[in-house]
């Protein structure tokens, strides 16, 4: 019997070479079959190294290619794509007397994920030789009973199992499982006798069909089976019916190093340091060195950080990367999100900006240059931000803007004669047409996919996206995946709405990967776990050696319960774990040095394989101290939280401040934190505004202020009566302002907000204003009065919401749309004029005393004749209690005098060059809500 068990540590590729038949440098009479596609590359390279001259290589195939090779002899050429299989299953599902899931999966998009599971399950059943009647009667085998819904699911699966293969074969399709069955049955008639030597190398877990095929070839004199000794192989050989020859079990153990990191980036950086040390010591990183990535999540951190000191042509990547995670699909996804969020022909502005500011979109060429388009879209962003509470617009409104293209032209460098306003307008229309337009109109899946391809081709030809790293493989993979759909059985399927097409595409792309080719075989090898099968490396580096990753123990994507899988003889996650353990074992036994990196924190633990290796070390050294074998990866991070450094005032800054016009807001800002005042008022820094889709508090406050201004402006300079509090007039003003700001068609959240504002302002009139005018003599003197005065050589300015005469006294009123008065209160008991730190603690806001100063200076009126108060319109209960007076019955001079002193001292302090801009006294109170905490480095306070 031609069965060889290759000793652990021996190179399987070298063993294969030793069994090849050769005649005058011609190895084509030998046929070699591996489990995967990567070992043939190493076989040819190994031969070239051994021979040192040109030669005709052996025929090398993966097992899938070998099966196809046999089936081609019998005319099975029309392969069934997975997407076609799902289409056939959907058709069967629609006509099923008892559809799986009832009415829950009757649309193609909702059925797709379920169809993928069904296809995987029935293919597994077929390739493992499980007859449909056994699946149909599975409940008879399960003595403990199964839930009713599970039984019905298995019955439905048996219906798909029977009907699918009938339908596929009637259409002339060749299905993978059936090709395996045919190959197992007809292998002796496949003409393999023309090969002097057939070698099956490196197999471990075989399907039922593969076992049948192997058994038929075992007796052939020209066939050799090479198995590599490893954990669990003896058990598998018994299953195959192969009595193995005794194998040498002694092997030199590799030198194993363990590295523990608190996170993924730590292990990548540690690996980078190990590799750098090797290079510095003169050791080359050639194809005998491999970095194993059990998960693709670590690929790009590795390439950008771990291998940053190694040139790209010095390493080689071979693994699949999820297509759904590529920036190219991210571009399409942002476009789909935009279209999905549309309300008729109105586009949702936040999603529109997200799409046009995507790096691929905003760099589309205008006359072979990207700068113009970038300026166009950022100017458009600024224009939309001017009305940021408006969340919807139309393409016609954007394209028909009277100011946008003029502003863009003004911002462009001089000499760009081609950038006329009309050409810029046409450029924007063209981008809208090719991107949005292609995803707005299509008849079926096929046309939808072709439109997606058109968008990507346009991006390739009309933007610098193709210059971005990895754009070519990512875009080619995405186009190839889309190109399958117009040629598939899904092409004629139509959905009721566009969002269903997008849902379907996301689910479909989630099944696709972009391959890194892995050739030529030179330099450091970066491989996925499966790509290391049958290969030997001197140095092995394994990242993410953690449980749930190595082995991957996530829930199986199957409709068949675990107990049923056991009875039917289907592989379970136990078998998958054994497969991982076997290949991990053979990889390590072939190496001289092994480096295992893993993450250890409160959520992640070491892989069971790492634990086993550590336990072996502990037993050998008779110790319970496992940490002695593990090298912890530590960061040199300074975790000291420093307070912001003061900023010294320059001469220019002092000169600027002496001419600065101070407002109450600026003074409050300085009182809370001089650094905050410096960033906002001296440097003029502002946080970037964004359109969130919601009306923010400031915007709502501005809206209500505008409504109240217009309402009370109409009844100024006369004694107010109850009849002046007109609810209908207030409602009409709210309607007009909403229409002007947010458009006439306010729906959804805007409609609800409008109703809430109407109700609340109505309560304000009825519960506060009516009792106020009935109980007092009231006359409105001014609304939103702007005042500019000069006090002690300082420019002061403010805008007072309302000034009224109440019972002979002038009352300054400031509206607050919030409800919390704590941050505005003044506690004079805490105010100590000789203790500067007490000012911030005692004074919530200087706004009311500042307004009194402005008004008294302008009108030359005594303080005793004035009062000032806040009106808290955001209170849930409206009444007299919404007032927060400044004096509140106390002597005006007693209250105002110390506050005026504080104001004047603060102004003097601001322009004093000897007093730097320092941080807030109470960082915990001030910093968490500050817009400038990133500049100061005080984010730690919030945590």
């Amino acid at each position: 019997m031609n069965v060889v068990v290759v000793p652990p540590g021996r190179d399987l590729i070298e063993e294969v070479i030793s069994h090849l038949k050769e005649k005058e440098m011609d190895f084509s009479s030998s046929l070699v079959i591996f489990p995967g596609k990567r070992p043939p590359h190493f076989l040819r390279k190994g031969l070239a190294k051994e021979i040192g001259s040109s030669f005709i290589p052996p025929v090398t195939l993966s097992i899938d290619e070998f099966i196809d090779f046999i089936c081609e002899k019998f005319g099975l050429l029309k392969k069934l794509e997975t997407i076609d299989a799902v289409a056939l299953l959907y058709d069967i599902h629609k006509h099923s007397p008892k559809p799986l899931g009832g009415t829950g999966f009757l649309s193609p998009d909702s059925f797709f994920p379920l169809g993928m599971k069904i296809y995987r399950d029935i293919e597994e059943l077929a390739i493992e030789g499980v007859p449909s009647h056994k699946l149909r009667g599975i409940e008879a085998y399960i003595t403990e009973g199964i839930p009713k819904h599970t039984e019905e699911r298995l019955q439905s699966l048996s219906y798909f199992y029977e009907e699918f293969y009938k339908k596929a074969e009637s259409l002339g399709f060749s299905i993978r499982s059936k090709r395996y069955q045919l190959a197992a049955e007809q292998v002796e008639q496949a003409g393999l006798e023309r090969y002097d030597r057939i070698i099956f190398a490196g197999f471990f877990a075989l399907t039922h069909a593969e076992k049948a095929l192997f058994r038929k070839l075992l007796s052939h004199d020209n066939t050799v089976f090479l198995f590599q000794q490893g954990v669990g192989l003896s058990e598998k050989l018994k299953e195959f019916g192969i009595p193995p020859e005794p194998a040498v079990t002694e092997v030199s153990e590799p030198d194993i190093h363990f590295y523990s990191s608190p996170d993924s980036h730590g292990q990548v950086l540690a690996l980078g340091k190990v590799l750098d040390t090797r290079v510095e010591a003169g050791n080359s990183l050639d194809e005998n060195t491999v970095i194993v990535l059990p998960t693709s999540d670590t690929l790009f951190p590795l390439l950008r950080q771990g291998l940053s000191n190694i040139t790209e042509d010095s390493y080689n990547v071979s693994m699949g990367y999820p297509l759904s995670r590529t920036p190219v699909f991210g571009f399409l996804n942002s476009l789909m999100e935009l279209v999905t969020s549309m309300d008729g022909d109105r586009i949702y502005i936040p999603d529109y900006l997200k799409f046009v500011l995507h790096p691929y979109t905003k760099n589309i060429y205008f006359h072979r240059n990207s700068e113009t388009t970038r300026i166009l879209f950022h100017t458009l962003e600024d224009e939309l931000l001017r009305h940021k509470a408006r969340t919807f617009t139309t393409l016609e409104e954007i394209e028909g803007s009277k100011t946008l293209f003029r502003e863009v032209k003004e911002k462009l460098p001089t000499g760009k004669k081609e950038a006329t306003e009309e050409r810029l307008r046409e450029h924007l229309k063209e981008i809208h047409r090719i991107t949005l337009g292609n995803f707005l109109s299509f008849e079926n899946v096929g046309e939808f996919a072709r439109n997606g391809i058109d968008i990507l081709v346009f991006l390739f030809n009309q933007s610098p996206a193709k210059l971005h790293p990895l754009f070519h493989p990512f875009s080619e993979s995405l186009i190839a995946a889309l190109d399958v759909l117009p040629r598939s059985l899904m092409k004629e399927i139509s959905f009721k709405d566009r969002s269903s097409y997008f849902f379907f595409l996301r689910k479909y792309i989630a099944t696709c990967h972009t391959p890194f080719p892995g050739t030529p075989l030179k330099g450091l090898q970066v491989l996925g776990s499966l790509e290391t099968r049958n290969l030997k490396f001197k140095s092995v580096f394994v990242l993410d050696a953690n449980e749930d990753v190595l082995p991957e123990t996530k829930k199986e994507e199957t409709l068949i319960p675990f107990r049923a899988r056991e009875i039917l003889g289907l592989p379970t996650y136990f078998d998958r774990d054994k497969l991982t353990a076997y290949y991990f074992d053979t990889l390590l036994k072939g190496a001289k040095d092994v480096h295992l990196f893993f993450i250890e924190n409160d959520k992640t633990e070491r892989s069971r394989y790492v634990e086993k290796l550590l336990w072996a070390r502990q037993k050998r050294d008779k110790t319970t101290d496992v940490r002695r074998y593990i090298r912890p990866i530590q960061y040199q991070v300074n975790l000291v939280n420093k307070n912001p450094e003061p900023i010294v005032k320059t001469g220019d800054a002092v000169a600027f401040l002496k001419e600065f016009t101070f407002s109450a807001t600026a003074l409050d800002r300085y009182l809370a934190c001089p650094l905050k005042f410096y960033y906002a008022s001296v440097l003029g820094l502002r946080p970037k505004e964004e359109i969130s889709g919601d009306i923010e508090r400031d915007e709502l406050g501005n809206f209500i202020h505008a409504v109240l201004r217009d309402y009370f402006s109409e009844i100024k300079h006369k004694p107010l009566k109850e009849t002046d509090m007109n609810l209908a007039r207030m409602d009409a003003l709210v309607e007009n302002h909403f229409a002007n700001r947010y458009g006439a068609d306010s729906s959804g959240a805007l409609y609800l907000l409008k109703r809430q504002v109407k109700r609340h302002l109505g309560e304000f009139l009825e519960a506060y204003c009516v009792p106020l005018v009935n109980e007092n003599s009231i006359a409105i003197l001014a609304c939103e009065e702007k005042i500019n005065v000069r006090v002690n050589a300082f420019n002061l300015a403010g805008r007072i919401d309302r000034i009224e005469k109440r019972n002979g006294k002038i009352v300054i009123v400031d509206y607050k749309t919030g409800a919390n008065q704590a941050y505005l209160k003044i506690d004079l008991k805490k105010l100590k004029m000789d203790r500067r730190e007490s000012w911030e603690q005692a004074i919530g806001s200087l706004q009311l005393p500042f307004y009194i100063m402005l008004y008294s200076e302008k009108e030359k009126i005594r303080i005793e004749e004035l009062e000032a108060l806040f009106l808290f319109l955001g209170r849930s209960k409206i009444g007299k209690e919404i007032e927060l007076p400044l004096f509140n019955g106390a002597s005006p001079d007693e209250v105002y005098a110390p506050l005026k002193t504080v104001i004047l001292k603060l102004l003097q302090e601001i322009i004093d060059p000897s007093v730097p801009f320092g941080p807030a006294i109470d960082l915990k109170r001030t910093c968490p809500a500050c817009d400038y905490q990133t500049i100061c480095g005080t984010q730690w306070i919030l945590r």
Side-chain angles (χ1 to χ4, degrees):
M1 187 175 292
N2 299 323
V3 175
V4 177
V5 176
V6 181
R10 179 164 167 77
D11 192 334
L12 181 66
I13 299 298
E14 291 180 359
E15 186 70 26
V16 170
I17 292 174
S18 70
H19 287 81
L20 293 175
K21 294 290 186 179
E22 175 259 339
K23 184 178 181 180
E24 297 178 356
M25 300 298 179
D26 184 355
F27 293 89
S28 60
S29 64
S30 292
L31 171 63
V32 186
I33 301 99
F34 291 101
K37 295 181 178 181
R38 189 156 187 79
H41 299 304
F42 283 82
L43 175 60
R44 288 188 288 270
K45 183 162 186 174
L47 271 173
K49 186 176 180 181
E50 182 173 305
I51 295 171
S53 65
S54 60
F55 63 94
I56 299 175
V59 179
T60 52
L61 302 171
S62 68
I63 185 64
D64 279 345
E65 292 169 338
F66 177 64
I67 297 301
D68 291 344
F69 174 73
I70 294 175
C71 291
E72 285 176 7
K73 306 290 183 182
F74 302 95
L76 295 182
L77 301 176
K78 189 180 178 183
K79 288 186 180 181
L80 183 73
E81 297 280 356
T82 301
I83 193 72
D84 293 322
V86 175
L88 292 179
L89 288 168
Y90 175 63
D91 189 59
I92 295 169
H93 178 67
K94 284 194 303 181
H95 298 95
S96 170
K98 297 177 71 174
L100 188 60
T103 59
F105 303 102
L106 291 182
S107 65
D109 54 320
S110 63
F111 178 77
F112 183 81
L114 176 63
M116 292 291 294
K117 289 184 180 180
I118 294 172
Y119 183 54
R120 278 194 292 266
D121 281 345
I122 63 177
E123 273 287 82
E124 196 172 21
L125 288 165
I127 208 167
E128 294 294 346
V130 179
S132 60
H133 66 82
K134 191 172 182 180
L135 176 63
R136 193 166 54 248
I138 187 65
E139 67 274 9
Y141 298 93
I142 304 179
T143 56
E144 66 269 23
I146 56 175
K148 185 66 177 175
H149 69 274
T150 302
E151 181 182 339
E152 291 175 353
R153 187 201 313 158
L154 293 174
Q155 292 291 344
S156 296
L157 192 60
S158 68
Y159 176 77
F160 281 111
Y161 189 22
E162 293 168 353
E163 294 298 318
F164 174 74
Y165 293 103
K166 294 178 188 175
K167 192 174 185 68
E169 289 172 14
S170 69
L171 294 172
F173 284 111
S174 169
I175 308 167
R176 182 176 182 270
S177 62
K178 295 302 181 182
R179 291 199 298 275
Y180 267 76
Q181 290 177 359
L182 177 69
E185 294 168 2
Q186 303 294 333
V187 65
E188 293 178 319
Q189 286 76 46
L192 298 180
E193 61 276 1
R194 74 174 184 270
Y195 294 103
D196 295 331
R197 180 57 49 87
I198 301 174
I199 303 170
F200 288 86
F203 287 85
F204 177 73
L206 298 185
T207 65
H208 180 271
E210 288 170 331
K211 291 174 186 176
L213 186 148
F214 275 37
R215 289 191 185 103
K216 286 189 176 181
L217 294 174
L218 275 173
S219 58
H220 289 214
D221 294 335
N222 68 336
T223 304
V224 177
F225 293 87
L226 302 180
F227 296 97
Q228 194 160 26
Q229 190 175 49
V231 60
L233 179 66
S234 297
E235 178 187 343
K236 291 296 179 183
L237 291 179
K238 289 178 183 177
E239 292 178 10
F240 306 156
I242 301 174
E245 296 178 2
V248 179
T249 56
E250 292 184 7
V251 60
S252 59
E253 292 290 330
D255 185 13
I256 302 180
H257 307 269
F258 303 91
Y259 304 83
S260 170
S261 170
D263 55 36
S264 182
H265 289 281
Q267 60 175 345
V268 169
L269 291 174
L271 169 62
K273 288 183 179 179
V274 174
L275 296 178
D276 290 345
T277 301
R278 289 198 163 201
V279 173
E280 290 169 3
N283 299 316
S284 62
L285 300 177
D286 56 18
E287 59 271 16
N288 290 312
T289 304
V290 64
I291 298 174
V292 184
L293 300 182
T295 171
S296 59
D297 293 348
T298 317
L299 176 60
F300 283 99
L302 171 67
L303 298 181
R304 300 292 174 254
Q305 298 176 21
L307 303 181
S308 58
N309 293 332
I310 302 174
T311 58
E312 289 190 10
D313 59 356
S314 299
Y315 61 84
N316 179 46
V317 180
S318 177
M319 62 185 302
Y321 189 76
L323 195 50
S324 59
R325 296 178 58 182
T326 63
V328 183
F329 181 72
F331 164 78
L332 275 191
N333 195 51
S334 68
L335 179 55
M336 291 189 288
E337 288 176 352
L338 169 57
V339 175
T340 303
S341 65
M342 290 180 66
D343 178 20
D345 64 343
R346 299 191 309 158
I347 59 173
Y348 185 55
I349 295 174
D351 284 345
Y352 174 76
L353 286 178
K354 179 182 175 183
F355 172 68
V356 297
L357 296 179
H358 188 286
Y360 290 164
T361 315
K362 71 178 183 179
N363 282 294
I364 291 173
Y365 291 138
F366 177 81
H367 288 265
R368 307 307 300 172
N369 185 282
S370 297
E371 181 185 20
T372 302
T373 308
R374 288 198 299 272
I375 293 173
L376 168 64
F377 282 132
H378 282 293
T379 306
L380 174 56
E381 178 189 24
D382 292 340
E383 180 167 293
L384 294 173
L385 282 171
R386 293 186 197 120
H387 312 283
K388 67 177 184 176
R390 188 178 182 187
T391 54
F392 283 91
T393 187
T394 65
L395 294 180
E396 288 74 16
E397 288 175 328
I398 293 174
E399 294 165 358
S401 171
K402 296 180 180 178
T403 59
L404 171 64
F405 305 102
R406 182 173 66 250
E407 289 182 18
V408 173
K409 186 165 176 57
E410 290 171 356
K411 292 178 180 179
L412 288 172
T414 56
K416 284 189 174 287
K417 296 180 181 179
E418 71 278 2
T420 64
E421 291 185 33
E422 192 54 37
R423 285 181 179 175
L424 290 170
R425 192 187 311 274
E426 289 304 315
H427 179 55
L428 181 60
K429 287 182 178 180
E430 179 75 355
I431 294 173
H432 285 162
R433 183 184 66 80
I434 293 178
T435 56
L436 262 171
N438 266 320
F439 266 11
L440 285 175
S441 178
F442 32 77
E443 295 295 326
N444 50 46
V445 168
E447 186 179 348
F448 168 59
R450 284 191 293 269
N451 287 2
I453 293 173
D454 289 344
I455 294 172
L456 294 176
V457 171
F458 169 77
L459 196 67
F460 181 87
N461 292 325
Q462 300 298 325
S463 83
K466 54 181 169 288
L467 304 177
H468 294 189
L470 299 175
F471 178 83
H472 277 271
F474 288 159
S475 60
E476 287 170 2
S477 297
L478 183 52
I479 289 174
L482 290 172
D483 190 50
V484 170
L485 297 176
R487 297 180 286 105
S488 73
L489 298 179
M490 294 282 290
K491 63 183 178 183
E492 300 295 340
I493 290 179
S494 299
F495 298 108
K496 290 182 180 179
D497 51 66
R498 287 192 299 255
S499 61
S500 295
Y501 287 92
F502 303 150
F503 179 81
F504 163 74
L505 182 61
R506 291 187 183 103
K507 291 294 182 182
Y508 169 60
I509 294 299
T511 68
C512 302
H513 287 75
T514 182
F516 286 84
T519 53
L521 300 182
K522 66 175 183 177
L524 171 69
Q525 300 293 297
V526 179
L527 307 179
S529 294
L530 278 180
E531 280 76 14
T532 64
R533 288 182 299 179
N534 312 141
L535 303 178
K536 180 181 178 180
F537 300 94
K538 290 180 181 178
S539 297
V540 174
F541 299 85
V542 182
L543 293 175
D544 295 302
N546 288 92
E547 200 65 13
D548 294 337
V549 178
L550 187 72
E552 185 181 19
T553 55
K554 70 178 182 180
K555 185 179 178 182
E556 292 177 306
E557 293 288 323
T558 178
L559 300 174
I560 306 174
F562 176 80
R563 180 68 182 124
R565 296 184 71 86
E566 284 188 316
I567 292 171
L568 296 170
L570 299 178
T572 66
Y573 64 86
F574 287 129
D575 297 290
R576 190 172 67 231
D577 290 354
K578 289 177 182 177
L579 183 71
T580 305
Y582 170 76
Y583 284 120
F584 184 74
D585 181 57
T586 55
L587 177 67
L588 265 57
K589 284 179 178 176
K592 288 187 176 181
D593 62 288
V594 175
H595 302 259
L596 301 175
F597 298 80
F598 45 85
I599 301 169
E600 283 190 293
N601 53 40
D602 57 347
K603 297 180 181 178
T604 310
E605 58 183 340
R606 300 187 292 258
S607 166
R608 67 191 71 172
Y609 305 141
V610 173
E611 295 287 6
K612 184 178 179 180
L613 292 168
L614 287 169
W615 176 236
R617 289 280 187 91
Q618 288 175 277
K619 287 192 296 182
R620 182 194 68 188
D621 299 338
K622 297 180 181 180
T623 179
T624 58
D625 182 14
V626 72
R627 302 311 301 184
R628 64 188 288 188
Y629 306 111
I630 301 173
R631 187 179 305 175
I633 298 168
Q634 297 176 339
Y635 296 99
Q636 294 183 347
V637 179
N638 186 355
L639 297 178
V640 175
N641 296 316
K642 293 184 178 180
N643 289 346
E645 295 291 333
I647 296 175
V648 177
K649 294 170 188 169
T650 64
D652 289 342
V654 172
F656 168 79
L657 290 168
K658 286 181 178 179
E659 298 302 319
F660 184 74
T661 299
F662 292 91
S663 65
T665 301
L667 273 181
D668 280 346
R669 189 180 288 133
Y670 182 84
L671 179 63
C673 177
L675 274 178
K676 186 176 182 179
F677 171 86
Y678 171 74
Y679 293 132
S681 299
V682 179
L683 298 185
L685 300 179
R686 296 286 185 274
K688 179 176 170 58
E689 292 189 40
E690 295 180 351
I691 298 178
S692 64
D694 299 317
I695 296 182
E696 297 175 3
R697 179 178 296 179
D698 290 347
E699 170 64 21
L700 181 61
N702 292 336
F703 176 84
I704 291 175
H705 276 66
V707 171
L708 293 177
R709 176 200 63 209
D710 289 356
Y711 183 88
F712 288 110
S713 291
E714 293 183 16
I715 51 176
K716 287 191 301 185
H717 306 302
K718 69 171 187 174
L720 295 183
K721 301 177 182 178
E722 181 175 346
T723 54
D724 293 314
M725 304 302 113
N726 189 309
L727 185 59
R729 189 162 64 85
M730 180 68 81
D731 286 350
L733 278 173
V734 172
E735 286 285 353
N736 289 337
H737 278 274
F738 252 92
N740 291 335
R741 287 179 180 241
Y742 313 124
D745 184 19
S746 56
S747 57
L750 276 177
Y751 174 74
L752 294 175
L753 183 63
K754 181 171 66 176
R755 288 190 59 181
Q756 185 180 5
V757 169
K758 281 185 177 180
R759 180 179 60 79
H760 213 66
L761 290 180
E763 291 178 0
F764 169 67
L765 287 181
E766 295 175 348
Y768 174 78
C769 293
V770 169
L772 182 69
V773 299
N774 286 338
E775 297 169 9
N776 301 275
S777 171
I778 302 284
I780 305 295
L781 302 181
C783 293
E784 294 201 0
E785 178 84 355
K786 294 181 180 179
I787 300 177
N788 291 275
V789 295
R790 192 166 175 85
V791 178
N792 291 8
F794 292 101
N795 299 315
L796 308 181
R799 186 174 62 182
I800 301 174
D801 290 340
R802 193 171 92 200
I803 303 172
E804 64 185 42
K805 193 165 188 178
R806 183 185 300 186
N807 300 327
K809 183 173 280 192
I810 304 298
V811 179
I812 293 170
V813 179
D814 189 77
Y815 303 128
K816 296 297 178 188
T817 51
N820 183 12
Q821 66 180 27
Y823 71 101
L824 296 171
K825 276 187 173 181
I826 297 173
D827 187 352
L828 291 178
K829 294 178 181 178
K830 294 181 179 179
L831 182 63
K832 310 296 181 185
M833 296 305 298
D834 57 342
R835 288 179 53 226
R836 173 66 175 80
E837 65 273 13
S838 74
W839 299 2
E840 178 191 346
Q841 298 168 354
I843 302 171
S845 173
L846 288 166
Q847 187 171 6
L848 293 183
F850 186 81
Y851 283 172
I852 285 181
M853 179 185 288
L854 293 181
Y855 193 80
S856 63
E857 288 289 334
K858 178 189 176 188
E859 301 295 337
K860 307 302 179 185
I861 192 170
R862 294 184 306 116
I863 302 300
E864 290 79 9
E865 300 177 28
L866 297 173
E867 173 63 285
L869 57 86
F870 291 120
L871 276 186
F872 289 93
L873 303 176
R875 293 277 181 85
S876 57
K877 184 179 179 181
I878 300 292
K880 177 71 175 175
E881 59 273 13
I882 71 172
E883 291 186 355
L884 179 63
L886 175 63
F887 302 141
N888 200 22
S891 164
D893 189 60
E894 180 183 334
V895 175
Y896 175 71
L899 295 176
K900 179 180 180 181
T901 301
V902 168
I903 292 173
L904 295 176
K905 282 182 175 290
L906 285 176
L907 291 170
Q908 196 62 47
E909 181 180 297
I910 290 173
I911 65 170
D912 186 347
S914 67
V915 181
F917 293 110
I921 295 172
D922 188 350
L923 297 180
K924 290 184 178 179
R925 175 188 173 190
T926 307
C927 296
C930 180
D931 293 324
Y932 307 100
Q933 58 178 265
T934 305
I935 300 176
C936 291
T938 54
Q939 305 96 314
W940 57 271
I941 294 173
L942 182 62
R943 293 193 289 270

